[in-house]
Amino acid sequence: MLFGRDRELTALGGLIDAARDGHGGALVFSGPPGIGKTALLRAAGERADGFRILRTTGIESEAGLPFTALHMLLAPVLDRIPRLPGPQADALRGAFGLARPPTDDTRFLVGLGLLTLLGELAEKTPVLCLVDDTQWLDGPSSASLAFAARRLTAERVAVVFAARDEEEGAATGLPGIRVLTPGALDAAEARAVVEAHSPALGPGARDRVVAESAGNPLALRELAAGLGETAVTDVAPTALRASAAVTATFRRRLAELPDTASRLLVVAAADRSCDVGTLMSAARSLGCDLADLDTAVRARVLVVEGSSYAFRHPLIRSTAYQDASVTDRVNAHRALGDALSTSSESTGGADVLAATWHRALAATGPDADVSAAMEQAADNAWVRGGGPAEAYALAARLHPEQAHRARLLTRAAQTAIVAGDTGRATELSASAAGLTDDPALRAALAMIDGTAENFRGHPRRAANLLVTGAEGLVSADTGAPGFTAAPETGLAATLLAIAAGYAWFSGDETALGRAAALAGRCVPGSRVGAAIRGLAALSRVGAQGRLGTSSDGRFPTAPGTAYTPATACTPGNATTPGSAAAMSSLTEFIAHERTTPASSLIIRMFAAHCARIIGDDEAAADLGEAESTRCRAYGTVSALPDVLAGLAHARLGQGRHREAEATVAEAAAFAADVGQTHVLADLHAVALRVAAIAGDAERCRAITDAHPELTGSPALGLLELGLGNHEEALAHLEAVVDGLESPGAAPAVFAIPDLVEAAVRAGRSERAAKPLERFLAWADAAPVPWLKAVAARCRALPDFDRKGADETVLEYLFVSALDHHAVAGRPFEFARTELLYGEWLRRARRRVDARGQLRSAEARFTRLGAVPWAARARAELRAAGEGDSHEARIPASALDSLTTQELHVVRLAATGAGNQEIATRLFLSRRTVEYHLYKAYPKLGVSSRRELVKLDLPELR
């Protein structure tokens, strides 16, 4: 019976009942040793009547062995793996060493395979997974379990974790999963525990036990039981902290065992298999036999059920291992290495990594042969989808030669950074850096450190680290690694492409210039090198502009050029040859990547970044969709947050707001999976702009409260502009444009049209003159129709309300803008141009012409959910002599009522994709896909997939 755990037991009951009814979920119990986490896992098992129960436990000595804990969990159901979809089955078999996986990155395909397997098992019988000592799970197992647990929706599956945290509120390493922290028992509850377990204990001793236990349930039981002969007296133990008291009790119990039984327990503590056969095979070589196993069971240290054993409490395992002598630990690992090596010969190599791991732990000094075996095992684990950073680190520690230690530590750091463990990655990188001057290794370490800095939210530091690493390569002999026949995939080009992206988006023009100079030296003939140099040139165009102004200071023109309709919108009249060449190098690079993608993921992502930078939404969407498809097919979830962030921005630009928000939600979930919180600000910038366009000030505040780094976003200026607060909009947008060190950074350039309109509306046109120079120079160079359109609109704006303005010029500018809009891109900007043109036509008393523009503007705004803008268009329509009867003709999108997950599923289903294909692409279970379709059909007014495919909704295309 559990005392004082009503809250936890209620949560467990709710979780299990919901899973039984087809609503899966997960829960974490977190707290210090002895607080009752393991007891709660037992209670979960007792309450899960009719459930299939799968169990696993993290083991400290094997925390570096990839997928060991997951293998323990699924050992009873490995025969079900062949029934899974091919790639998932291959990934799981590969993870467990049963086959070679089909790809180089299967880590999250393993998680998806786990999710699918649990869902399939639950079709007949609900499933409960119990995971103890989560803090000692190997990284890949922890990631796979968390990945699956976060996606339990319509499955009859519950997962309960127990994680040791010494401090209340400490992180569990399982973000996105509900955490309950059992508290200390109060005095009455503590007395009830003592009375239930040691009823003969005298009142004085009982009260002292209650006082010394600090409300820790395990301490209460063990201290009371440890009194033995004095149970009926008032003798009390010496004062001890609860956790220390528990450990001391276990230590005394272990110390009373015979030497051979103690040696057997050290082997048991070091072994992850929990298999009696493996344990005895290893222990016999140390002089132990079955009698020692019996002794450990009678001492209430081990529990044996069938062919499996377990420690009575996880704290006993850690105490047995940590208190063992160095000799006993070395001998235990050597014996396990031999035993597992023998078993691996009959299991097809499933235990090879474990055997090698134990032999490496048994090594007492440098050993090149053991190091080589450990490296080979780590390589195999990496191919299987594991994160073997500690295996490579162990191989490095054992190698006698410094150069090899540096190489192995670099490999360890690389695998750690891919797994999202930035802290460990930079520790390993620093250790490697102290051992080598090799330019290629130093460059690889720069990539690790740069990636870590970016993950921590410091892209400027990241850019400079990467450029410095590339400088070392360029200054070295060109025969060094990194200089290849295909420069787009060389190490130097990779470093510089990443650095250029970081430098651009953080506004570091100096780092971008350094990257461009190096690109000219090390990859002079490549498209990616030209694109890097193009970015540097464009940053200077955006920062300085290349324009003069008219005599009244209102209209930017090319120096010495008369301002007439003939020159008002002529491409190139404000563009320098350098900016045109820069933009050409970018567009050529982007076009080539759209048709002939590079083999390097980083180069492909750089192309998508370039498309976003120049405002080419169509190219950015195409590249993002293609890369997203690749990542899903190969399980490369680590790249998905960044890929989907770019895709969300592209969809926002295309006016696909619901899809953009759905993409943000999906990317945020993947960011949690891989620990890439640095991308969240970029993702929520999309949601912030959608809210700003909608005029939803409350939601904008909620987003910026959650992400204070977005308080300087240009979206907030757009919000004020839409609400008619023109002075506030102007002040905010001026801070955006002037506050960045490099005004050529994309957010600043693309905010300038909003600044221009705010200045004109506020009667401060002169404050827009300089920023407008920058924007027009940019738009003149960019081969993007919507930028040309907005540039023409901005040229017209300063004379919008001026008496005596040349109407011929103004109309030419508006018509030219509409012509450019008609080609493609940015429906929100299209509608703004129509609104302004309609306003101008109405004021020019051309009401019939005005109404056509205003109707079109209102329809676009309404479809986009741009509430204040649509209201302004309706007000202008009324002023132009048209009533409100047209409003009923503009229905809201049929997709607005769908959740983000339903929208993802419906979009794929509308293409004819089957449920399993959708599940694989979205990293969901098949049952969850069916659940979302079941919920979406009534909202869309359809009853089947066939009707859905026929549904004519542009948003589904």
Side-chain angles (χ1 to χ4, degrees):
M1 180 178 180
L2 295 180
F3 296 91
R5 295 291 178 250
D6 291 346
R7 179 184 66 133
E8 290 78 9
L9 292 173
T10 298
L12 270 180
L15 179 74
I16 291 168
D17 289 344
R20 184 179 280 113
D21 293 338
H23 302 287
L27 183 63
V28 181
F29 290 119
S30 175
I35 203 64
K37 304 180 298 296
T38 299
L40 285 165
L41 292 188
R42 283 198 300 269
E46 292 166 1
R47 289 176 174 235
D49 184 46
F51 277 64
R52 177 194 285 267
I53 300 178
L54 303 175
R55 291 182 171 87
T56 192
T57 299
I59 298 174
E60 185 177 13
S61 65
E62 298 192 350
L65 286 170
F67 294 119
T68 55
L70 188 61
H71 187 271
M72 186 189 302
L73 181 82
L74 297 182
V77 294
L78 291 178
D79 61 314
R80 302 294 293 268
I81 289 178
R83 305 182 193 184
L84 301 180
Q88 296 174 33
D90 291 342
L92 277 172
R93 279 193 292 258
F96 301 148
L98 304 175
R100 185 177 180 85
T103 69
D104 289 336
D105 192 346
T106 61
R107 284 164 295 134
F108 288 95
L109 277 179
V110 171
L112 181 57
L114 170 63
L115 177 62
T116 304
L117 178 56
L118 294 177
E120 295 299 322
L121 289 171
E123 290 286 347
K124 291 185 177 181
T125 304
V127 176
L128 173 64
C129 298
L130 301 177
V131 186
D132 207 352
D133 271 340
T134 302
Q135 75 281 355
W136 285 328
L137 292 179
D138 61 276
S141 290
S142 179
S144 297
L145 284 162
F147 183 93
R150 280 191 288 267
R151 286 163 174 77
L152 294 172
T153 302
E155 298 76 21
R156 297 197 299 164
V157 179
V159 183
V160 185
F161 298 89
R164 181 190 299 184
D165 287 320
E166 300 290 349
E167 298 179 8
E168 186 175 351
T172 65
L174 299 167
I177 301 175
R178 182 187 178 193
V179 178
L180 286 181
T181 303
L185 302 182
D186 63 27
E189 294 163 347
R191 286 191 189 94
V193 171
V194 176
E195 290 170 0
H197 291 274
S198 299
L201 196 66
R206 181 188 60 219
D207 290 344
R208 188 66 184 276
V209 167
V210 168
E212 298 298 337
S213 70
N216 184 289
L218 184 61
L220 286 162
R221 295 197 304 271
E222 296 300 330
L223 287 174
L227 292 178
E229 295 292 331
T230 63
V232 295
T233 74
D234 286 341
V235 176
T238 305
L240 289 170
R241 288 192 308 110
S243 59
V246 174
T247 303
T249 300
F250 290 149
R251 188 169 287 126
R252 284 196 302 271
R253 189 176 302 169
L254 293 169
E256 293 169 356
L257 294 173
D259 288 345
T260 51
S262 294
R263 288 200 294 273
L264 179 142
L265 285 176
V266 178
V267 177
D271 180 30
R272 57 95 177 171
S273 71
C274 295
D275 176 67
V276 171
T278 301
L279 170 63
M280 294 312 303
S281 176
R284 283 192 183 98
S285 69
L286 301 177
C288 307
D289 58 27
L290 281 173
D292 296 305
L293 181 61
D294 290 337
T295 299
V297 172
R298 285 195 300 271
R300 296 166 58 235
V301 173
L302 290 182
V303 177
V304 175
E305 294 182 2
S307 62
S308 299
Y309 72 88
F311 280 84
R312 182 171 170 269
H313 191 278
L315 201 55
I316 302 178
R317 179 194 288 271
S318 58
T319 302
Y321 186 80
Q322 291 168 1
D323 286 1
S325 68
V326 173
T327 299
D328 283 346
R329 267 190 273 182
V330 167
N331 288 338
H333 285 297
R334 183 177 294 120
L336 281 167
D338 292 342
L340 289 168
S341 179
T342 300
S343 67
S344 69
E345 296 173 4
S346 59
T347 59
D351 292 322
V352 169
L353 176 58
T356 307
W357 177 265
H358 285 295
R359 283 177 170 166
L361 290 177
T364 56
D367 189 318
D369 291 337
V370 175
S371 175
M374 191 74 253
E375 180 183 1
Q376 181 61 56
D379 288 343
N380 292 338
W382 179 249
V383 171
R384 286 160 42 195
E390 299 311 316
Y392 283 116
L394 183 53
R397 182 162 60 85
L398 293 173
H399 207 288
E401 296 182 18
Q402 179 172 306
H404 282 286
R405 291 200 299 274
R407 176 182 59 80
L408 288 165
L409 285 169
T410 301
R411 190 71 179 118
Q414 288 170 330
T415 55
I417 200 70
V418 170
D421 191 349
T422 56
R424 183 61 174 145
T426 51
E427 287 176 9
L428 292 164
S429 175
S431 297
L435 298 174
T436 183
D437 291 321
D438 178 78
L441 279 184
R442 300 286 295 194
L445 294 172
M447 185 179 295
I448 294 161
D449 294 339
T451 302
E453 287 297 337
N454 187 55
F455 282 5
R456 292 167 180 152
H458 304 299
R460 281 174 172 253
R461 295 182 197 169
N464 283 281
L465 283 168
L466 291 163
V467 173
T468 300
E471 284 174 341
L473 272 179
V474 174
S475 61
D477 187 278
T478 55
F483 292 86
T484 69
E488 286 87 355
T489 60
L491 180 55
T494 300
L495 288 168
L496 294 174
I498 303 172
Y502 292 165
W504 177 275
F505 286 110
S506 65
D508 191 338
E509 214 173 323
T510 301
L512 186 53
R514 289 171 63 201
L518 286 169
R521 292 172 57 192
C522 68
V523 283
S526 73
R527 291 183 181 85
V528 67
I532 293 168
R533 296 194 300 277
L535 277 187
L538 284 181
S539 72
R540 292 190 293 274
V541 171
Q544 302 165 8
R546 290 293 186 271
L547 303 170
T549 57
S550 63
S551 57
D552 61 5
R554 288 178 173 273
F555 302 100
T557 64
T561 304
Y563 190 84
T564 68
T567 61
C569 296
T570 303
N573 75 323
T575 307
T576 65
S579 62
M583 195 64 75
S584 176
S585 66
L586 285 166
T587 55
E588 286 180 14
F589 173 53
I590 294 165
H592 183 266
E593 288 301 316
R594 290 176 80 177
T595 58
T596 314
S599 59
S600 166
L601 168 66
I602 289 172
I603 300 302
R604 296 195 304 268
M605 291 177 66
F606 179 56
H609 287 155
C610 289
R612 176 178 166 186
I613 285 167
I614 69 173
D616 190 341
D617 300 321
E618 300 301 320
D622 284 351
L623 291 167
E625 289 276 12
E627 200 55 49
S628 171
T629 299
R630 289 189 196 95
C631 288
R632 296 177 198 279
Y634 293 104
T636 318
V637 177
S638 57
L640 266 175
D642 192 50
V643 169
L644 291 176
L647 184 56
H649 280 277
R651 286 173 170 166
L652 172 63
Q654 292 175 313
R656 298 157 67 180
H657 291 183
R658 286 284 289 119
E659 289 182 66
E661 290 190 290
T663 302
V664 166
E666 185 185 22
F670 284 128
D673 288 324
V674 295
Q676 294 185 14
T677 55
H678 70 285
V679 79
L680 293 178
D682 193 30
L683 287 169
H684 286 96
V686 173
L688 184 63
R689 187 166 180 85
V690 171
I693 290 171
D696 191 340
E698 184 176 344
R699 187 176 175 219
C700 286
R701 278 194 298 274
I703 293 171
T704 53
D705 285 348
H707 301 278
E709 63 272 28
L710 292 176
T711 53
S713 168
L716 297 179
L718 178 63
L719 171 70
E720 299 293 351
L721 182 60
L723 296 176
N725 304 322
H726 302 130
E727 288 284 359
E728 292 86 345
L730 178 58
H732 183 85
L733 291 164
E734 283 181 326
V736 169
V737 172
D738 296 337
L740 294 179
E741 290 187 25
S742 170
V749 169
F750 295 154
I752 289 173
D754 297 339
L755 184 153
V756 172
E757 184 171 346
V760 170
R761 297 277 190 188
R764 305 292 182 87
S765 298
E766 72 283 355
R767 286 163 65 176
K770 271 196 170 182
L772 185 53
E773 292 179 20
R774 299 172 182 166
F775 180 75
L776 294 181
W778 181 277
D780 246 358
V784 181
W786 75 265
L787 281 168
K788 308 291 187 189
V790 173
R793 183 181 81 209
C794 287
R795 289 180 187 271
L797 269 171
D799 265 2
F800 185 73
D801 287 327
R802 188 168 67 88
K803 290 185 178 180
D806 190 328
E807 293 188 1
T808 303
V809 170
L810 286 174
E811 181 145 28
Y812 181 90
L813 289 168
F814 278 122
V815 171
S816 296
L818 293 176
D819 287 344
H820 285 297
H821 277 307
V823 175
R826 303 232 172 174
F828 179 62
E829 298 299 336
F830 198 162
R832 288 174 67 178
T833 299
E834 290 175 319
L835 174 60
L836 284 165
Y837 187 29
E839 286 185 57
W840 181 77
L841 289 169
R842 181 186 65 77
R843 295 178 190 186
R845 295 183 173 81
R846 294 166 57 183
R847 292 188 172 189
V848 174
D849 293 337
R851 287 198 287 267
Q853 297 298 323
L854 295 169
R855 283 192 211 102
S856 180
E858 191 212 7
R860 293 185 203 278
F861 285 139
T862 302
R863 284 195 295 272
L864 294 169
V867 176
W869 299 86
R872 184 187 298 176
R874 282 195 292 275
E876 286 292 330
L877 272 169
R878 286 192 291 271
E882 183 166 301
D884 293 334
S885 61
H886 66 286
E887 292 181 44
R889 299 197 301 268
I890 308 172
S893 170
L895 301 181
D896 285 348
S897 60
L898 300 183
T899 67
T900 55
Q901 198 67 276
E902 288 166 359
L903 179 61
H904 282 305
V905 171
V906 163
R907 283 191 70 240
L908 290 173
T911 67
N915 288 355
Q916 187 57 62
E917 180 183 352
I918 297 171
T920 300
R921 291 191 62 185
L922 296 183
F923 292 89
L924 300 172
S925 72
R926 178 179 53 79
R927 192 177 179 91
T928 295
V929 170
E930 293 167 355
Y931 172 80
H932 286 311
L933 286 174
Y934 173 78
K935 301 286 284 185
Y937 284 162
K939 297 178 181 180
L940 296 173
V942 300
S943 59
S944 69
R945 185 185 300 268
R946 182 177 299 176
E947 292 180 38
L948 178 64
V949 172
K950 293 180 179 178
L951 204 60
D952 185 22
L953 289 175
E955 296 94 332
L956 293 181
R957 299 190 195 114

